[in-house]
Amino acid sequence: MGDVPEIQQEKARLRALVTSARALLSAQERSEAGGQIRDALLSLPEVQMAGTVAAYYSIGSEPDTRGLVFALWKRGTYVLLPLLRPDGDLDWASYEGPESLVAGPRGLKEPGEAPRGAGAVASADVVLVPALAVDGQGNRLGRGGGSFDRALARVGPLIPVIALLYDSELVERVPAEAHDTPVRAVVRPGYGVTTCAGGIPGPAARLCMLSSRISRVLI
């Protein structure tokens, strides 16, 4: 994996560039991207057949997932949302509608239901995760806390793990360390579902294409 401090510097540089690009997006652009991502995911057979989906409630400049989470719950899917623990790990609890959410740490919205334990994510049939960038091998760049990497280490090898991105955030290369857990697919508003190397099978999945308007700038 090379020199770890150098990899961490590369991650920090990429993280800063993507974060800066996201900051330029309007609330309407984030909402529209979230709607397109929602529609692409709801039409994916793996999601349609899932009894339980582990998801997350977007904050800040992330693609809006509020409509997605509500739509999954409304059609009868059991939705798990993360609870950030003091040690940085993730617990999980059920989403029971918008009114069931309470204020969490770091500006997060979390379910007010009883925690089900860190291992609850292993019961999900599909896992949706935030990301700043992903490459064709599924290497994922998060915000640097490692919370989702710990959670994904508990997910079985056949479970679709899908990152939600803006169109330009599927890039040529994301620096990866030994503890980083790859995703198996990404969803982008303008491209729908794109599988990464070793990603999910299925009729709705497409081969991973390393297309990005900003990848040459970011890498």
Side-chain angles (χ1 to χ4, degrees):
M1 287 290 181
D3 184 65
V4 171
E6 181 178 341
I7 291 177
Q8 292 172 349
Q9 289 175 11
E10 291 180 34
K11 284 184 173 182
R13 175 172 169 266
L14 180 55
R15 192 174 286 120
L17 286 166
V18 176
T19 301
S20 296
R22 284 188 171 189
L24 300 176
L25 297 170
S26 67
Q28 181 176 347
E29 287 173 315
R30 295 194 297 271
S31 178
E32 289 175 352
Q36 291 172 296
I37 288 171
R38 176 201 62 210
D39 293 346
L41 278 168
L42 292 179
S43 66
L44 187 66
E46 289 81 1
V47 174
Q48 291 177 346
M49 294 185 294
T52 300
V53 172
Y56 66 97
Y57 218 66
S58 59
I59 60 170
S61 61
E62 294 175 333
D64 193 334
T65 66
R66 291 173 294 179
L68 168 64
V69 169
F70 181 80
L72 287 168
W73 172 72
K74 197 68 174 174
R75 73 181 191 182
T77 303
Y78 186 66
V79 180
L80 289 171
L81 294 181
L83 302 164
L84 182 62
R85 303 197 317 194
D87 63 357
D89 206 345
L90 297 179
D91 207 325
W92 298 85
S94 63
Y95 172 82
E96 300 297 339
E99 294 77 17
S100 70
L101 298 174
V102 298
R106 303 181 190 177
L108 297 171
K109 286 282 194 178
E110 298 182 335
E113 303 297 310
R116 294 190 53 198
V121 68
S123 68
D125 302 301
V126 174
V127 179
L128 308 178
V129 297
L132 290 170
V134 174
D135 67 17
Q137 299 302 308
N139 295 314
R140 168 188 162 272
L141 181 72
R143 296 191 177 276
S147 298
F148 273 91
D149 283 315
R150 292 197 223 178
L152 294 183
R154 303 179 178 110
V155 177
L158 299 180
I159 300 301
V161 176
I162 306 172
L164 313 187
L165 302 173
Y166 293 106
D167 286 344
S168 60
E169 294 169 355
L170 182 60
V171 302
E172 264 186 62
R173 175 177 170 270
V174 169
E177 300 173 70
H179 65 269
D180 292 327
T181 303
V183 301
R184 286 150 202 153
V186 303
V187 180
R188 296 175 291 163
Y191 295 88
V193 181
T194 306
T195 60
C196 300
I200 60 173
R206 293 183 281 168
L207 293 176
C208 186
M209 299 182 296
L210 302 180
S211 56
S212 169
R213 291 195 299 269
I214 63 172
S215 62
R216 292 183 183 179
V217 176
L218 297 178
I219 301 303

mmCIF file of all heavy atoms in Angstrom, residues 29-70:
data_model
loop_
_atom_site.group_PDB
_atom_site.id
_atom_site.type_symbol
_atom_site.label_atom_id
_atom_site.label_comp_id
_atom_site.label_asym_id
_atom_site.label_seq_id
_atom_site.Cartn_x
_atom_site.Cartn_y
_atom_site.Cartn_z
ATOM 1 N N GLU A 29 -29.691 21.833 -6.296
ATOM 2 C CA GLU A 29 -28.883 20.832 -7.002
ATOM 3 C C GLU A 29 -28.715 19.582 -6.147
ATOM 4 O O GLU A 29 -28.801 18.459 -6.663
ATOM 5 C CB GLU A 29 -27.525 21.423 -7.362
ATOM 6 C CG GLU A 29 -27.569 22.432 -8.496
ATOM 7 C CD GLU A 29 -26.241 23.114 -8.724
ATOM 8 O OE1 GLU A 29 -25.600 23.529 -7.728
ATOM 9 O OE2 GLU A 29 -25.828 23.238 -9.897
ATOM 10 N N ARG A 30 -28.510 19.754 -4.855
ATOM 11 C CA ARG A 30 -28.380 18.594 -3.970
ATOM 12 C C ARG A 30 -29.688 17.815 -3.909
ATOM 13 O O ARG A 30 -29.702 16.586 -3.920
ATOM 14 C CB ARG A 30 -27.954 19.039 -2.571
ATOM 15 C CG ARG A 30 -26.569 19.658 -2.504
ATOM 16 C CD ARG A 30 -26.069 19.752 -1.080
ATOM 17 N NE ARG A 30 -26.884 20.612 -0.236
ATOM 18 C CZ ARG A 30 -26.700 21.912 -0.077
ATOM 19 N NH1 ARG A 30 -25.714 22.513 -0.731
ATOM 20 N NH2 ARG A 30 -27.466 22.622 0.728
ATOM 21 N N SER A 31 -30.795 18.559 -3.851
ATOM 22 C CA SER A 31 -32.097 17.907 -3.787
ATOM 23 C C SER A 31 -32.409 17.156 -5.085
ATOM 24 O O SER A 31 -32.894 16.012 -5.046
ATOM 25 C CB SER A 31 -33.180 18.955 -3.523
ATOM 26 O OG SER A 31 -34.454 18.365 -3.500
ATOM 27 N N GLU A 32 -32.133 17.787 -6.232
ATOM 28 C CA GLU A 32 -32.382 17.136 -7.517
ATOM 29 C C GLU A 32 -31.511 15.891 -7.679
ATOM 30 O O GLU A 32 -31.980 14.851 -8.168
ATOM 31 C CB GLU A 32 -32.134 18.116 -8.650
ATOM 32 C CG GLU A 32 -33.192 19.213 -8.750
ATOM 33 C CD GLU A 32 -32.870 20.248 -9.813
ATOM 34 O OE1 GLU A 32 -31.744 20.197 -10.363
ATOM 35 O OE2 GLU A 32 -33.733 21.100 -10.081
ATOM 36 N N ALA A 33 -30.245 15.979 -7.267
ATOM 37 C CA ALA A 33 -29.362 14.815 -7.334
ATOM 38 C C ALA A 33 -29.900 13.690 -6.456
ATOM 39 O O ALA A 33 -29.907 12.519 -6.855
ATOM 40 C CB ALA A 33 -27.950 15.198 -6.898
ATOM 41 N N GLY A 34 -30.374 14.060 -5.269
ATOM 42 C CA GLY A 34 -30.942 13.053 -4.380
ATOM 43 C C GLY A 34 -32.159 12.373 -4.976
ATOM 44 O O GLY A 34 -32.348 11.163 -4.825
ATOM 45 N N GLY A 35 -33.003 13.137 -5.670
ATOM 46 C CA GLY A 35 -34.181 12.549 -6.299
ATOM 47 C C GLY A 35 -33.823 11.572 -7.400
ATOM 48 O O GLY A 35 -34.432 10.500 -7.524
ATOM 49 N N GLN A 36 -32.812 11.915 -8.198
ATOM 50 C CA GLN A 36 -32.389 11.014 -9.267
ATOM 51 C C GLN A 36 -31.735 9.752 -8.700
ATOM 52 O O GLN A 36 -31.959 8.643 -9.208
ATOM 53 C CB GLN A 36 -31.423 11.748 -10.202
ATOM 54 C CG GLN A 36 -32.085 12.836 -11.019
ATOM 55 C CD GLN A 36 -31.076 13.668 -11.792
ATOM 56 O OE1 GLN A 36 -30.236 14.365 -11.221
ATOM 57 N NE2 GLN A 36 -31.146 13.584 -13.108
ATOM 58 N N ILE A 37 -30.955 9.908 -7.658
ATOM 59 C CA ILE A 37 -30.345 8.749 -7.006
ATOM 60 C C ILE A 37 -31.425 7.863 -6.395
ATOM 61 O O ILE A 37 -31.383 6.627 -6.513
ATOM 62 C CB ILE A 37 -29.330 9.215 -5.936
ATOM 63 C CG1 ILE A 37 -28.080 9.784 -6.617
ATOM 64 C CG2 ILE A 37 -28.949 8.065 -4.997
ATOM 65 C CD1 ILE A 37 -27.121 10.470 -5.663
ATOM 66 N N ARG A 38 -32.397 8.486 -5.740
ATOM 67 C CA ARG A 38 -33.529 7.725 -5.158
ATOM 68 C C ARG A 38 -34.220 6.880 -6.221
ATOM 69 O O ARG A 38 -34.455 5.672 -6.022
ATOM 70 C CB ARG A 38 -34.521 8.707 -4.548
ATOM 71 C CG ARG A 38 -35.795 8.067 -3.996
ATOM 72 C CD ARG A 38 -36.907 9.109 -3.885
ATOM 73 N NE ARG A 38 -37.245 9.648 -5.207
ATOM 74 C CZ ARG A 38 -37.695 10.884 -5.395
ATOM 75 N NH1 ARG A 38 -37.843 11.722 -4.397
ATOM 76 N NH2 ARG A 38 -37.983 11.279 -6.637
ATOM 77 N N ASP A 39 -34.544 7.498 -7.354
ATOM 78 C CA ASP A 39 -35.270 6.775 -8.400
ATOM 79 C C ASP A 39 -34.445 5.614 -8.952
ATOM 80 O O ASP A 39 -34.986 4.524 -9.222
ATOM 81 C CB ASP A 39 -35.653 7.731 -9.524
ATOM 82 C CG ASP A 39 -36.688 8.766 -9.085
ATOM 83 O OD1 ASP A 39 -37.297 8.581 -8.016
ATOM 84 O OD2 ASP A 39 -36.865 9.764 -9.806
ATOM 85 N N ALA A 40 -33.125 5.838 -9.126
ATOM 86 C CA ALA A 40 -32.264 4.773 -9.641
ATOM 87 C C ALA A 40 -32.195 3.606 -8.666
ATOM 88 O O ALA A 40 -32.269 2.434 -9.061
ATOM 89 C CB ALA A 40 -30.866 5.318 -9.926
ATOM 90 N N LEU A 41 -32.089 3.907 -7.378
ATOM 91 C CA LEU A 41 -31.998 2.843 -6.380
ATOM 92 C C LEU A 41 -33.302 2.091 -6.229
ATOM 93 O O LEU A 41 -33.319 0.858 -6.109
ATOM 94 C CB LEU A 41 -31.569 3.427 -5.035
ATOM 95 C CG LEU A 41 -30.074 3.666 -4.858
ATOM 96 C CD1 LEU A 41 -29.811 4.514 -3.635
ATOM 97 C CD2 LEU A 41 -29.318 2.337 -4.765
ATOM 98 N N LEU A 42 -34.423 2.802 -6.242
ATOM 99 C CA LEU A 42 -35.711 2.140 -6.050
ATOM 100 C C LEU A 42 -36.056 1.217 -7.211
ATOM 101 O O LEU A 42 -36.868 0.304 -7.053
ATOM 102 C CB LEU A 42 -36.811 3.182 -5.865
ATOM 103 C CG LEU A 42 -36.748 4.001 -4.571
ATOM 104 C CD1 LEU A 42 -37.878 5.018 -4.541
ATOM 105 C CD2 LEU A 42 -36.780 3.109 -3.341
ATOM 106 N N SER A 43 -35.432 1.442 -8.372
ATOM 107 C CA SER A 43 -35.684 0.568 -9.523
ATOM 108 C C SER A 43 -34.689 -0.593 -9.603
ATOM 109 O O SER A 43 -34.836 -1.478 -10.440
ATOM 110 C CB SER A 43 -35.619 1.372 -10.823
ATOM 111 O OG SER A 43 -34.299 1.854 -11.050
ATOM 112 N N LEU A 44 -33.710 -0.618 -8.711
ATOM 113 C CA LEU A 44 -32.700 -1.677 -8.710
ATOM 114 C C LEU A 44 -33.293 -2.946 -8.098
ATOM 115 O O LEU A 44 -33.809 -2.914 -6.980
ATOM 116 C CB LEU A 44 -31.472 -1.220 -7.915
ATOM 117 C CG LEU A 44 -30.237 -2.122 -7.945
ATOM 118 C CD1 LEU A 44 -29.640 -2.178 -9.347
ATOM 119 C CD2 LEU A 44 -29.192 -1.620 -6.950
ATOM 120 N N PRO A 45 -33.240 -4.089 -8.809
ATOM 121 C CA PRO A 45 -33.854 -5.311 -8.270
ATOM 122 C C PRO A 45 -33.352 -5.683 -6.880
ATOM 123 O O PRO A 45 -34.139 -6.152 -6.040
ATOM 124 C CB PRO A 45 -33.478 -6.373 -9.308
ATOM 125 C CG PRO A 45 -33.325 -5.617 -10.580
ATOM 126 C CD PRO A 45 -32.733 -4.297 -10.182
ATOM 127 N N GLU A 46 -32.070 -5.501 -6.625
ATOM 128 C CA GLU A 46 -31.530 -5.847 -5.309
ATOM 129 C C GLU A 46 -32.182 -5.035 -4.203
ATOM 130 O O GLU A 46 -32.385 -5.534 -3.082
ATOM 131 C CB GLU A 46 -30.009 -5.643 -5.298
ATOM 132 C CG GLU A 46 -29.231 -6.646 -6.122
ATOM 133 C CD GLU A 46 -29.214 -6.311 -7.611
ATOM 134 O OE1 GLU A 46 -29.788 -5.286 -8.023
ATOM 135 O OE2 GLU A 46 -28.612 -7.090 -8.363
ATOM 136 N N VAL A 47 -32.497 -3.783 -4.483
ATOM 137 C CA VAL A 47 -33.170 -2.941 -3.493
ATOM 138 C C VAL A 47 -34.650 -3.287 -3.405
ATOM 139 O O VAL A 47 -35.224 -3.328 -2.316
ATOM 140 C CB VAL A 47 -32.958 -1.449 -3.845
ATOM 141 C CG1 VAL A 47 -33.779 -0.551 -2.915
ATOM 142 C CG2 VAL A 47 -31.482 -1.086 -3.759
ATOM 143 N N GLN A 48 -35.273 -3.568 -4.535
ATOM 144 C CA GLN A 48 -36.694 -3.928 -4.531
ATOM 145 C C GLN A 48 -36.947 -5.201 -3.726
ATOM 146 O O GLN A 48 -37.990 -5.339 -3.082
ATOM 147 C CB GLN A 48 -37.184 -4.108 -5.966
ATOM 148 C CG GLN A 48 -37.239 -2.818 -6.768
ATOM 149 C CD GLN A 48 -37.658 -3.038 -8.210
ATOM 150 O OE1 GLN A 48 -37.670 -4.164 -8.700
ATOM 151 N NE2 GLN A 48 -38.010 -1.963 -8.901
ATOM 152 N N MET A 49 -36.011 -6.130 -3.753
ATOM 153 C CA MET A 49 -36.184 -7.400 -3.047
ATOM 154 C C MET A 49 -35.698 -7.357 -1.606
ATOM 155 O O MET A 49 -35.908 -8.305 -0.852
ATOM 156 C CB MET A 49 -35.436 -8.509 -3.805
ATOM 157 C CG MET A 49 -36.015 -8.808 -5.175
ATOM 158 S SD MET A 49 -35.195 -10.217 -5.996
ATOM 159 C CE MET A 49 -33.549 -9.550 -6.261
ATOM 160 N N ALA A 50 -35.036 -6.274 -1.208
ATOM 161 C CA ALA A 50 -34.430 -6.206 0.123
ATOM 162 C C ALA A 50 -35.489 -6.059 1.203
ATOM 163 O O ALA A 50 -36.353 -5.181 1.129
ATOM 164 C CB ALA A 50 -33.448 -5.045 0.181
ATOM 165 N N GLY A 51 -35.412 -6.893 2.214
ATOM 166 C CA GLY A 51 -36.278 -6.734 3.371
ATOM 167 C C GLY A 51 -35.750 -5.681 4.317
ATOM 168 O O GLY A 51 -36.515 -4.960 4.964
ATOM 169 N N THR A 52 -34.430 -5.586 4.424
ATOM 170 C CA THR A 52 -33.778 -4.617 5.304
ATOM 171 C C THR A 52 -32.716 -3.864 4.517
ATOM 172 O O THR A 52 -31.897 -4.482 3.829
ATOM 173 C CB THR A 52 -33.118 -5.316 6.511
ATOM 174 O OG1 THR A 52 -34.118 -6.004 7.262
ATOM 175 C CG2 THR A 52 -32.407 -4.315 7.411
ATOM 176 N N VAL A 53 -32.725 -2.557 4.617
ATOM 177 C CA VAL A 53 -31.700 -1.716 3.993
ATOM 178 C C VAL A 53 -31.060 -0.862 5.074
ATOM 179 O O VAL A 53 -31.749 -0.180 5.840
ATOM 180 C CB VAL A 53 -32.298 -0.804 2.900
ATOM 181 C CG1 VAL A 53 -31.251 0.205 2.402
ATOM 182 C CG2 VAL A 53 -32.815 -1.637 1.734
ATOM 183 N N ALA A 54 -29.752 -0.920 5.160
ATOM 184 C CA ALA A 54 -28.998 -0.007 6.023
ATOM 185 C C ALA A 54 -28.651 1.216 5.193
ATOM 186 O O ALA A 54 -28.034 1.099 4.131
ATOM 187 C CB ALA A 54 -27.740 -0.677 6.555
ATOM 188 N N ALA A 55 -29.058 2.376 5.648
ATOM 189 C CA ALA A 55 -28.863 3.602 4.884
ATOM 190 C C ALA A 55 -28.250 4.658 5.805
ATOM 191 O O ALA A 55 -27.690 4.349 6.862
ATOM 192 C CB ALA A 55 -30.192 4.077 4.296
ATOM 193 N N TYR A 56 -28.344 5.918 5.409
ATOM 194 C CA TYR A 56 -27.867 7.019 6.242
ATOM 195 C C TYR A 56 -28.669 8.259 5.889
ATOM 196 O O TYR A 56 -29.241 8.359 4.803
ATOM 197 C CB TYR A 56 -26.361 7.257 6.048
ATOM 198 C CG TYR A 56 -25.994 7.754 4.668
ATOM 199 C CD1 TYR A 56 -25.813 9.112 4.409
ATOM 200 C CD2 TYR A 56 -25.846 6.868 3.600
ATOM 201 C CE1 TYR A 56 -25.505 9.571 3.130
ATOM 202 C CE2 TYR A 56 -25.534 7.314 2.324
ATOM 203 C CZ TYR A 56 -25.357 8.667 2.105
ATOM 204 O OH TYR A 56 -25.072 9.113 0.831
ATOM 205 N N TYR A 57 -28.727 9.206 6.810
ATOM 206 C CA TYR A 57 -29.471 10.448 6.614
ATOM 207 C C TYR A 57 -28.463 11.537 6.260
ATOM 208 O O TYR A 57 -27.599 11.880 7.053
ATOM 209 C CB TYR A 57 -30.227 10.789 7.897
ATOM 210 C CG TYR A 57 -31.600 11.385 7.658
ATOM 211 C CD1 TYR A 57 -32.607 10.627 7.074
ATOM 212 C CD2 TYR A 57 -31.896 12.691 8.032
ATOM 213 C CE1 TYR A 57 -33.879 11.160 6.866
ATOM 214 C CE2 TYR A 57 -33.153 13.227 7.823
ATOM 215 C CZ TYR A 57 -34.141 12.453 7.239
ATOM 216 O OH TYR A 57 -35.393 12.969 7.021
ATOM 217 N N SER A 58 -28.584 12.077 5.055
ATOM 218 C CA SER A 58 -27.585 13.011 4.552
ATOM 219 C C SER A 58 -27.545 14.304 5.369
ATOM 220 O O SER A 58 -28.542 14.748 5.941
ATOM 221 C CB SER A 58 -27.878 13.339 3.089
ATOM 222 O OG SER A 58 -29.167 13.910 2.950
ATOM 223 N N ILE A 59 -26.361 14.903 5.386
ATOM 224 C CA ILE A 59 -26.182 16.211 6.005
ATOM 225 C C ILE A 59 -25.318 17.064 5.079
ATOM 226 O O ILE A 59 -24.613 16.553 4.208
ATOM 227 C CB ILE A 59 -25.513 16.122 7.399
ATOM 228 C CG1 ILE A 59 -24.120 15.473 7.302
ATOM 229 C CG2 ILE A 59 -26.389 15.387 8.393
ATOM 230 C CD1 ILE A 59 -23.321 15.580 8.577
ATOM 231 N N GLY A 60 -25.374 18.365 5.273
ATOM 232 C CA GLY A 60 -24.488 19.271 4.556
ATOM 233 C C GLY A 60 -24.634 19.171 3.051
ATOM 234 O O GLY A 60 -25.740 19.180 2.502
ATOM 235 N N SER A 61 -23.492 19.029 2.377
ATOM 236 C CA SER A 61 -23.460 19.032 0.915
ATOM 237 C C SER A 61 -23.598 17.651 0.294
ATOM 238 O O SER A 61 -23.432 17.495 -0.912
ATOM 239 C CB SER A 61 -22.142 19.673 0.445
ATOM 240 O OG SER A 61 -21.035 18.938 0.919
ATOM 241 N N GLU A 62 -23.906 16.633 1.095
ATOM 242 C CA GLU A 62 -24.089 15.285 0.549
ATOM 243 C C GLU A 62 -25.340 15.235 -0.337
ATOM 244 O O GLU A 62 -26.288 15.996 -0.122
ATOM 245 C CB GLU A 62 -24.245 14.267 1.681
ATOM 246 C CG GLU A 62 -23.010 14.089 2.535
ATOM 247 C CD GLU A 62 -23.250 13.158 3.714
ATOM 248 O OE1 GLU A 62 -24.402 13.049 4.172
ATOM 249 O OE2 GLU A 62 -22.276 12.562 4.183
ATOM 250 N N PRO A 63 -25.363 14.340 -1.337
ATOM 251 C CA PRO A 63 -26.610 14.137 -2.074
ATOM 252 C C PRO A 63 -27.740 13.817 -1.090
ATOM 253 O O PRO A 63 -27.571 13.018 -0.175
ATOM 254 C CB PRO A 63 -26.303 12.933 -2.975
ATOM 255 C CG PRO A 63 -24.817 12.942 -3.125
ATOM 256 C CD PRO A 63 -24.284 13.451 -1.821
ATOM 257 N N ASP A 64 -28.866 14.452 -1.271
ATOM 258 C CA ASP A 64 -29.976 14.340 -0.324
ATOM 259 C C ASP A 64 -30.527 12.919 -0.297
ATOM 260 O O ASP A 64 -30.939 12.391 -1.329
ATOM 261 C CB ASP A 64 -31.070 15.324 -0.739
ATOM 262 C CG ASP A 64 -32.128 15.516 0.343
ATOM 263 O OD1 ASP A 64 -32.321 14.594 1.154
ATOM 264 O OD2 ASP A 64 -32.751 16.581 0.370
ATOM 265 N N THR A 65 -30.529 12.297 0.885
ATOM 266 C CA THR A 65 -31.084 10.944 1.019
ATOM 267 C C THR A 65 -32.401 10.917 1.789
ATOM 268 O O THR A 65 -32.958 9.844 2.014
ATOM 269 C CB THR A 65 -30.096 9.998 1.733
ATOM 270 O OG1 THR A 65 -29.938 10.438 3.096
ATOM 271 C CG2 THR A 65 -28.749 9.957 1.041
ATOM 272 N N ARG A 66 -32.907 12.077 2.190
ATOM 273 C CA ARG A 66 -34.120 12.078 3.017
ATOM 274 C C ARG A 66 -35.303 11.462 2.270
ATOM 275 O O ARG A 66 -36.061 10.665 2.836
ATOM 276 C CB ARG A 66 -34.438 13.504 3.458
ATOM 277 C CG ARG A 66 -33.426 14.068 4.455
ATOM 278 C CD ARG A 66 -33.674 15.539 4.724
ATOM 279 N NE ARG A 66 -33.423 16.345 3.538
ATOM 280 C CZ ARG A 66 -33.577 17.668 3.489
ATOM 281 N NH1 ARG A 66 -33.997 18.322 4.568
ATOM 282 N NH2 ARG A 66 -33.328 18.324 2.370
ATOM 283 N N GLY A 67 -35.451 11.827 0.993
ATOM 284 C CA GLY A 67 -36.544 11.266 0.210
ATOM 285 C C GLY A 67 -36.382 9.774 -0.024
ATOM 286 O O GLY A 67 -37.363 9.020 -0.024
ATOM 287 N N LEU A 68 -35.141 9.333 -0.214
ATOM 288 C CA LEU A 68 -34.860 7.913 -0.409
ATOM 289 C C LEU A 68 -35.221 7.112 0.831
ATOM 290 O O LEU A 68 -35.901 6.078 0.745
ATOM 291 C CB LEU A 68 -33.387 7.731 -0.757
ATOM 292 C CG LEU A 68 -32.854 6.300 -0.727
ATOM 293 C CD1 LEU A 68 -33.527 5.444 -1.790
ATOM 294 C CD2 LEU A 68 -31.333 6.287 -0.922
ATOM 295 N N VAL A 69 -34.755 7.570 1.990
ATOM 296 C CA VAL A 69 -35.028 6.861 3.244
ATOM 297 C C VAL A 69 -36.541 6.778 3.483
ATOM 298 O O VAL A 69 -37.074 5.719 3.848
ATOM 299 C CB VAL A 69 -34.309 7.559 4.416
ATOM 300 C CG1 VAL A 69 -34.792 7.015 5.756
ATOM 301 C CG2 VAL A 69 -32.796 7.380 4.286
ATOM 302 N N PHE A 70 -37.246 7.889 3.269
ATOM 303 C CA PHE A 70 -38.695 7.904 3.476
ATOM 304 C C PHE A 70 -39.395 6.953 2.503
ATOM 305 O O PHE A 70 -40.309 6.206 2.902
ATOM 306 C CB PHE A 70 -39.230 9.326 3.301
ATOM 307 C CG PHE A 70 -40.709 9.442 3.523
ATOM 308 C CD1 PHE A 70 -41.231 9.495 4.806
ATOM 309 C CD2 PHE A 70 -41.588 9.490 2.445
ATOM 310 C CE1 PHE A 70 -42.606 9.594 5.010
ATOM 311 C CE2 PHE A 70 -42.951 9.587 2.648
ATOM 312 C CZ PHE A 70 -43.467 9.645 3.931
#
